[in-house]
Amino acid sequence: MLMWLAISLGVAVGSALCPLVSVELFLIAMVADGHHPPIACWILGAVVAIGQVVGKLLYFFAARGHIKLPKWLQPKDKPSRQTWWTTAWARITTWFTALQARCERHPKLMIATTGVSSVVGMPPFMATTVLAGVARMSVIAFVGVTLAGRFIRFTALAASPNLLTHVLPHFA
């Protein structure tokens, strides 16, 4: 059982860092497979939530500027040429700066948005994580809200195959 919890934690951290890895599919497949030792859905939800929040904290701290990005991810100083891309980037930068200022003025709205995103996934959790870091959201508030939201999400996902096989046939 501990091995599967460790694997789940690793997949959760990996999926938080690389969006191409789906911890949701892993979790549902693991629970639905039946070849693994039975693990309570709330324990799986907690382990995966912890892994997700640990992984997302890297993005959060990078957005705050506490983690130095690798050289290939840092902006390069180039001579300014007026192209459609520079014009579009200037508009995006202006919009993002206004959004950041709005989030800093209304921290409770930022906490609520991050909480909803951590449960539902809309707006994208990766984007709200970065925005929370840029908007200087409290680390304690970020960890608390996202840990609770991710726990709800992944516990529900871990319970869903069991729910489908045991409860829904009685309604048919």
Side-chain angles (χ1 to χ4, degrees):
M1 180 170 98
L2 286 176
M3 180 184 75
W4 285 108
L5 291 175
I7 291 170
S8 300
L9 182 69
V11 171
V13 172
S15 73
L17 297 174
C18 177
L20 298 176
V21 177
S22 175
V23 73
E24 288 88 350
L25 288 177
F26 169 81
L27 187 60
I28 290 173
M30 189 178 106
V31 172
D33 182 27
H35 289 90
H36 311 295
I39 303 171
C41 60
W42 67 270
I43 293 173
L44 277 172
V47 167
V48 173
I50 290 168
Q52 277 273 301
V53 173
V54 166
K56 294 298 183 191
L57 275 172
L58 293 175
Y59 285 102
F60 179 81
F61 286 126
R64 280 186 151 200
H66 296 316
I67 295 176
K68 187 170 172 71
L69 295 175
K71 195 147 190 90
W72 59 276
L73 282 175
Q74 292 177 2
K76 296 167 183 59
D77 293 329
K78 293 183 180 178
S80 153
R81 288 189 336 223
Q82 191 65 21
T83 63
W84 70 270
W85 176 248
T86 56
T87 305
W89 187 251
R91 287 184 185 147
I92 290 170
T93 303
T94 303
W95 174 82
F96 191 77
T97 304
L99 181 62
Q100 175 187 0
R102 191 174 310 130
C103 290
E104 287 174 350
R105 282 193 312 270
H106 306 289
K108 289 181 182 172
L109 180 61
M110 187 68 227
I111 291 171
T113 303
T114 304
V116 168
S117 176
S118 68
V119 175
V120 180
M122 287 305 289
F125 187 52
M126 176 76 78
T128 55
T129 297
V130 171
L131 185 59
V134 170
R136 300 281 186 215
M137 182 180 193
S138 161
V139 176
I140 294 171
F142 177 77
V143 169
V145 167
T146 58
L147 197 56
R150 293 270 109 173
F151 175 75
I152 292 167
R153 177 184 180 94
F154 294 123
T155 300
L157 277 173
S160 64
N162 200 12
L163 180 70
L164 292 174
T165 58
H166 291 94
V167 175
L168 290 183
H170 297 292
F171 291 107

